Amino acid sequence: MTSPNAPHADRYPAGSAAFPQRDLIALAGLAPWEILFLLDEAEQWVELNRQPHKRDDRLAGLTIINAFFENSTRTLLSFEIAGKRLGADVVNMLVAQSSVKKGETLIDTAMTLNAMHADAMVIRHQSSGAVRLIAEKVDCPVLNAGDGQHEHPTQGLLDALTIRKAKGEFAGLTITICGDILHSRVARSNIHCLTTLGAEVRVCAPPALMPADIEALKVRPYYDFDAALAGADVVMMLRLQQERMSGQFIPSPREYRHLYGLTLDRLARAKGDALVMHPGPMNRGIEIDSNVADLPGRSAITAQVEMGVAIRMACLDVLTRRSRKVEGWA
Amino acid sequence: MSSVRPLTIFNGQLVLPGARPVPGTLRCAGGRITALGGAEPQDGDLVIDARGALIAPGLVDLGVFAIDKPAFHFGGITRAALMPDQGVVLDKRSAVRFAAQSGKPDLWVHPLAAATRGLEGLELAELALMRDAGAKAVATGRRWIADTGVMHRLLSYCAMLGLTVVTHAEDSGLTGNAVATAGEMATRLGLPAAPAEAEALAVARDLALAEMSGARLHIRQVTTARALDLVRHAKQRGMKVTAGVTPAHLMLSDVALGDYRTFTKLSPPLRSEADRQAVRAAIGDGTIDVIASGHDPRGPEDKRLPFTDAEPGMAGAETLLPLTLSLVRDGVIDLARAFELIATNPAAILGVDAGKLAVGSEADVALIDPAKPWVVDSDMMAAAAGNTPFDKQGVEGRVTALFKGGMPIDL
């Protein structure tokens, strides 16, 4: 096996053929080599971000607009840092949900941003499919920073990079994703990404939070968390929103922890070196205990945040190569 | 109508109930059909050569959401039953009376009275007053009446008044904010979804209540195999129940949602391929009585939105006829049955003397070239908006002339 950190240039075609998409809306439908290309591109940024001087000016002069129609702190910050470290001018537009009535002006907003000649747009929206709708109307590359319950592709990529750095190749890995699968765009992007890369993916949730026909996405569904954990190489916990634990889907947070909380005892059912992941923000003491979240050598939760910046730098770099007329991409 | 010039249409194929088309002539005078078959034109008649076209009854469209004459005329629709879900809900005598007049002179509008005030599903509306103001049936609108007690009282009252109750069959407790049918497609797209069984649950309850009360029930859209089975068994038991559907649910499955195209957002949502096949089978075996357009033109302000935020509905008036005729070409039904589905049966449910060619009936007549090919184009539609899920699809069958009460209508 080659070093997991080394680029696998033999796995994908040269130049723009390595990633022929204009936008990054979803990981569903991407070829394995397209995903691997982005992961490999991110490796250099992982290194750069660990240096005291974290600056590369390849996007100098470009304007990136982060248009977030749904509240976000972490993802927005991560994209902002990624753009700035590549030298771009980054502008954040935060559209409080109250000021845009149910997306009535969504297309108008997109056209307005387009007229400002952004070189890339990063968009988060509370409705599935909304980012694609915007991408169809604007002239620049669009990165989906999360659309409703559909996808959050950079999260899927950063999780894959985190796993690769810890475990090497994906084939042969068993990865358990547990939590609110039904409402989770993180789960969908991870499912598409990890199954495409050859991992065996299990999803675990109570019936009310398990999407219909999830098997069609090439995963194995479990209601029993202990069974889902048995022999797992990676355990990925999802955040459960408070309002879904108050009787609507789950009787109480306490009961959710009883069935689906990742405790040290439960973690022992997974492999001895199983990696613990969580996209954040965590409900400590509910879906994950603090002593698991902070477990040295096992918890990759802060590594995920670190990989997030690198992945977003890679995506911004790759998607703007055509407009920057990079050799082989123009 | 006596001022209308008598009309003779010759050299056509007469579409008569329960029969293959027969060559013949139709003559009408005083707004009514006076002869079918071998009639000769009389002096002063407007004489029209049908050139081999079908001479068929004008279509009767049971359940439209807008009065959209250009679209109805394009589609050969001479009578439209207007759903009560209007800007001003049809829950009062005055609103019904106004709606009943609103099609004159070239379209019959048959208002459906709102079952409950404001269509809220709580208090019965003044149904007898609305009946006597021209309402031809009662409808629950786009929504199901969730309160079983209210529904029971509604059906009992309508049984007494002799009014058919037109229902929307989706258990709202199960559907919640769903915009799609639960299944692989909704899971992939991350769309809020409800199980298809929400329809069967609603149908089961409403059938039980209708049987208790003796009311006539018309379920406007039955789109799933399980609900169709319930209707089939109810009919076998002799219940007074009829079922309808729109062409969307016999032509498309939820795979059409694939690119979040809001023109495919319908209520009820598109179903699985297995359910689509069950709808086609139910049309073939007589379980489904009516195919309607569900005409609901929606502009960009309602449709150019993220899928979950867009309004449901399609502009269906122009495609009702050709898509129904596609079932004839596919061997699901014969031509006579096609016109039962889009004219005779809906007219009977509404209790209006129309929907079939018969001497003495209102002369609502369409000349139809059943093989004429054309392409549906959402940018070029007669309808008030082009929200069709059949954009750029080739179809066959086109109305070439239309008459209401023997009066020619400009197409």
Side-chain angles (χ1 to χ4, degrees):
Chain A
M1 192 174 73
T2 57
S3 159
N5 297 341
H8 303 279
D10 56 325
R11 295 199 209 176
Y12 33 78
S16 62
F19 196 80
Q21 322 290 334
R22 190 196 77 155
D23 307 303
L24 182 65
I25 305 296
L27 298 183
L30 291 189
W33 45 267
E34 289 176 293
I35 294 171
L36 289 172
F37 175 68
L38 293 176
L39 300 188
D40 290 350
E41 284 289 325
E43 295 284 0
Q44 60 184 308
W45 306 123
V46 176
E47 293 306 315
L48 180 82
N49 290 338
R50 289 173 179 172
Q51 305 304 317
H53 183 82
K54 307 173 185 59
R55 185 69 182 234
D56 181 288
D57 279 328
R58 66 182 62 192
L59 299 195
L62 268 59
T63 303
I64 297 170
I65 298 180
N66 294 327
F68 277 55
F69 294 83
E70 186 186 74
N71 291 332
S72 161
T73 311
R74 308 157 63 102
T75 304
L76 177 61
L77 189 61
S78 183
F79 268 109
E80 184 174 357
I81 289 172
K84 285 181 170 167
R85 286 198 180 152
L86 292 174
D89 297 314
V90 181
V91 186
N92 295 335
M93 192 188 77
L94 307 180
V95 189
Q97 275 173 256
S98 54
S99 69
V100 177
K101 271 196 258 167
K102 294 188 75 182
E104 268 172 340
T105 61
L106 183 63
I107 301 284
D108 289 339
T109 307
M111 298 313 290
T112 303
L113 297 178
N114 195 47
M116 294 178 185
H117 296 292
D119 298 289
M121 286 188 207
V122 178
I123 297 167
R124 168 170 287 194
H125 195 279
Q126 61 275 12
S127 293
S128 303
V131 176
R132 181 189 163 126
L133 183 64
I134 294 173
E136 287 169 358
K137 306 289 176 192
V138 302
D139 302 318
C140 69
V142 170
L143 282 87
N144 180 4
D147 65 324
Q149 303 165 12
H150 176 224
E151 284 221 40
H152 188 355
T154 56
Q155 180 75 42
L157 293 168
L158 75 88
D159 286 336
L161 184 60
T162 306
I163 292 168
R164 190 171 78 171
K165 283 190 136 0
K167 299 288 176 189
E169 297 298 310
F170 293 92
L173 289 185
T174 298
I175 297 167
T176 300
I177 305 174
C178 178
D180 183 357
I181 308 289
L182 178 66
H183 299 100
S184 177
R185 55 195 175 211
V186 174
R188 282 176 181 75
S189 283
N190 265 297
I191 287 168
H192 294 306
C193 186
L194 297 169
T195 55
T196 301
L197 294 175
E200 182 194 320
V201 177
R202 302 171 178 173
V203 294
C204 181
L209 297 176
M210 186 75 87
D213 294 346
I214 189 74
E215 299 91 333
L217 273 55
K218 303 188 183 77
V219 298
R220 288 185 66 183
Y222 290 79
Y223 298 143
D224 178 349
F225 193 22
D226 290 339
L229 283 171
D233 296 284
V234 178
V235 184
M236 191 182 292
M237 301 304 294
L238 300 174
R239 176 182 169 77
L240 183 62
Q241 289 182 12
Q242 292 288 343
E243 64 266 26
R244 297 194 173 123
M245 288 187 270
S246 56
Q248 215 188 353
F249 291 88
I250 300 292
S252 69
R254 186 167 75 156
E255 184 144 316
Y256 186 71
R257 178 178 185 272
H258 179 62
L259 291 177
Y260 297 105
L262 187 61
T263 61
L264 272 181
D265 285 349
R266 278 231 171 81
L267 183 60
R269 296 176 181 274
K271 282 200 181 141
D273 61 347
L275 202 63
V276 175
M277 302 175 70
H278 192 299
M282 289 181 277
N283 295 303
R284 285 174 179 263
I286 300 176
E287 73 256 6
I288 188 164
D289 277 8
S290 276
N291 55 7
V292 177
D294 303 332
L295 200 59
R298 301 284 297 282
S299 172
I301 295 170
T302 52
Q304 289 173 270
V305 178
E306 184 190 4
M307 296 307 123
V309 177
I311 281 288
R312 285 160 187 140
M313 290 170 80
C315 292
L316 289 171
D317 171 24
V318 167
L319 290 180
T320 57
R321 284 184 188 176
R322 274 180 200 82
S323 63
R324 289 186 288 122
K325 302 194 180 354
V326 172
E327 193 182 345
W329 292 73
Chain B
M1 301 301 271
S2 55
S3 61
V4 174
R5 198 172 156 195
L7 170 74
T8 297
I9 304 170
F10 71 101
N11 191 24
Q13 301 279 325
L14 289 165
V15 178
L16 300 171
R20 289 167 174 277
V22 290
T25 299
L26 176 146
R27 183 169 188 277
C28 57
R32 293 189 177 270
I33 297 171
T34 55
L36 284 168
E40 289 296 323
Q42 297 179 16
D43 284 349
D45 280 13
L46 175 63
V47 179
I48 290 175
D49 182 352
R51 298 177 189 195
L54 298 177
I55 304 175
L59 274 55
V60 181
D61 196 353
L62 209 179
V64 302
F65 291 89
I67 300 169
D68 188 356
K69 285 187 188 179
F72 293 148
H73 291 157
F74 183 104
I77 295 161
T78 47
R79 292 173 187 257
L82 183 66
M83 291 293 284
D85 318 58
Q86 302 298 310
V88 175
V89 174
L90 305 185
D91 63 354
K92 288 192 179 61
R93 177 166 59 176
S94 55
V96 166
R97 190 175 286 139
F98 181 79
Q101 306 295 322
S102 60
K104 288 187 173 180
D106 50 0
L107 176 74
W108 290 97
V109 173
H110 299 305
L112 303 179
T116 56
R117 287 188 188 148
L119 290 169
E120 296 291 334
L122 301 172
E123 301 166 308
L124 299 186
E126 294 171 326
L127 300 174
L129 289 174
M130 287 193 281
R131 176 193 66 183
D132 297 342
K136 294 298 180 191
V138 168
T140 64
R142 286 193 177 89
R143 283 187 276 174
W144 192 60
I145 292 180
D147 186 316
T148 304
V150 171
M151 189 64 179
H152 183 214
R153 292 190 288 279
L154 171 73
L155 288 164
S156 311
Y157 195 56
C158 290
M160 176 188 79
L161 297 176
L163 285 168
T164 297
V165 178
V166 180
T167 62
H168 179 91
E170 280 187 292
D171 185 315
S172 49
L174 204 50
T175 51
N177 63 351
V179 298
T181 305
E184 179 183 345
M185 208 63 211
T187 292
R188 284 185 184 278
L189 296 172
L191 292 174
E197 285 75 6
E199 181 175 280
L201 284 168
V203 167
R205 185 203 72 172
D206 290 347
L207 285 172
L209 294 174
E211 195 159 24
M212 281 164 67
S213 56
R216 283 199 310 263
L217 188 66
H218 176 67
I219 309 165
R220 195 166 62 86
Q221 298 182 80
V222 186
T223 62
T224 63
R226 294 191 104 181
L228 287 163
D229 278 344
L230 293 171
V231 172
R232 194 173 284 121
H233 291 139
K235 286 186 165 193
Q236 285 164 1
R237 285 204 313 278
M239 271 189 67
K240 292 180 283 189
V241 59
T242 50
V245 75
T246 78
H249 285 94
L250 59 97
M251 301 297 293
L252 303 171
S253 72
D254 61 357
V255 172
L257 273 57
D259 55 1
Y260 295 101
R261 194 161 165 73
T262 57
F263 289 0
T264 65
K265 182 172 179 178
L266 304 171
S267 172
L270 289 172
R271 306 298 194 184
S272 68
E273 176 62 16
D275 280 333
R276 182 181 84 91
Q277 294 297 343
V279 167
R280 294 173 76 87
I283 291 169
D285 72 15
T287 303
I288 287 177
D289 306 274
V290 173
I291 303 178
S293 75
H295 191 67
D296 195 1
R298 294 274 183 178
E301 64 282 3
D302 288 333
K303 284 292 192 183
R304 218 167 67 156
L305 293 171
F307 196 88
T308 46
D309 302 334
E311 295 291 336
M314 63 174 275
E318 287 152 86
T319 47
L320 174 60
L321 174 71
L323 296 176
T324 302
L325 290 177
S326 77
L327 294 170
V328 178
R329 276 189 299 280
D330 291 348
V332 180
I333 50 174
D334 62 21
L335 193 70
R337 167 101 175 112
F339 283 92
E340 287 176 17
L341 288 159
I342 55 180
T344 318
N345 293 346
I349 290 165
L350 294 167
V352 295
D353 175 24
K356 58 179 185 286
L357 299 183
V359 172
S361 287
E362 289 275 353
D364 298 343
V365 179
L367 298 191
I368 295 164
D369 178 348
K372 181 169 181 173
W374 57 286
V375 175
V376 181
D377 185 337
S378 70
D379 295 328
M380 310 263 292
M381 288 177 63
N387 52 312
T388 173
F390 302 107
D391 190 27
K392 305 297 183 284
Q393 188 167 318
V395 295
E396 287 179 34
R398 185 86 168 245
V399 173
T400 56
L402 190 63
F403 305 87
K404 172 182 175 277
M407 178 183 71
I409 292 170
D410 289 336
L411 293 184

